[in-house]
Amino acid sequence: THNSLNMNKGKLIEQLTAIIEDTLQGNERVKIFHDVLLKDDTGNDRQIDVLIEYFENERFTFKVIIECK
């Protein structure tokens, strides 16, 4: 069914996220946050399941957002 397919995709994304976190753990340039609120372009809060911030240098920070639905 559609619900079980979505649940399986959600579990797969959760497992993939865990692998990414394990890989990046200990990297001083990386910070990982769970269940955070970020403001969108219109100023509305958006709930983010996983936010990964990578600090390249003083000018550049890369952000990766993962939604675990």
Side-chain angles (χ1 to χ4, degrees), residues 5-64:
L5 181 60
N6 282 341
M7 200 163 77
N8 289 338
K9 286 196 309 189
K11 290 285 184 194
L12 180 62
I13 292 171
E14 287 176 10
Q15 291 172 347
L16 179 59
T17 301
I19 291 169
I20 292 169
E21 287 187 42
D22 287 345
T23 302
L24 297 175
Q25 188 174 5
N27 187 328
E28 296 175 359
R29 294 177 160 186
V30 176
K31 290 186 182 177
I32 300 172
F33 305 95
H34 296 270
D35 295 321
V36 296
L37 291 176
L38 291 181
K39 296 221 181 275
D40 65 13
D41 294 341
T42 62
N44 294 317
D45 285 335
R46 300 292 180 192
Q47 190 274 335
I48 305 299
D49 290 332
V50 180
L51 170 64
I52 301 171
E53 292 185 341
Y54 174 75
F55 301 95
E56 178 64 29
N57 56 43
E58 294 172 359
R59 294 183 57 208
F60 296 103
T61 299
F62 297 95
K63 294 182 180 181
V64 177

